[in-house]
């Protein structure tokens, strides 16, 4: 979920040991959307993610090209079985079961 991700400028990121769920990335887009800023980021491996960061005055806006670290709480992580079909768990109309 985009709102479960945290972004920190790379130079301010804590060490690896203190935050195991992290990913180095570069901001590719940023959009101010009122109560939050939507960031599109791309990792070194090409993974593209979207993060929503609340505009609560706790961080400075990050412009495209900024190097960041993406963090998330391990409690918000779950694995998917790649052997299952992409539509597993949906009824025929596309709604979650």
């Amino acid at each position: 979920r985009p709102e479960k991700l945290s972004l920190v400028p790379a130079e301010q990121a804590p060490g690896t040991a203190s935050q195991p769920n992290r990913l180095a990335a570069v901001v590719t887009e940023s959009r101010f959307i009122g109560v939050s800023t939507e960031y599109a980021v791309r990792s070194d491996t090409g993974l593209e993610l979207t993060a929503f960061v609340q505009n609560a005055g706790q961080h400075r806006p990050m412009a495209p090209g900024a190097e960041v670290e993406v963090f998330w709480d391990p409690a918000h992580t779950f694995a998917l079985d790649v052997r299952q079909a992409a539509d597993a768990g949906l009824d025929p109309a596309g709604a979650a079961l």
Side-chain angles (χ1 to χ4, degrees), residues 7-80:
L7 298 182
V8 176
E11 67 274 4
Q12 297 175 7
T16 305
S18 66
Q19 186 55 266
N21 291 333
R22 68 184 200 103
L23 183 66
V26 174
V27 174
T28 57
E29 295 180 50
S30 69
R31 282 188 279 288
F32 178 82
I33 52 175
V35 298
S36 64
T37 299
E38 177 183 6
Y39 291 99
V41 300
R42 181 177 295 122
S43 76
D44 296 342
T45 62
L47 177 66
E48 296 182 6
L49 299 168
T50 300
F52 293 118
V53 178
Q54 284 192 336
N55 294 324
Q58 298 169 335
H59 80 284
R60 292 180 42 207
M62 294 171 274
E67 294 182 4
V68 296
E69 294 284 329
V70 182
F71 298 93
W72 62 95
D73 185 327
H76 299 143
T77 303
F78 60 92
L80 302 174

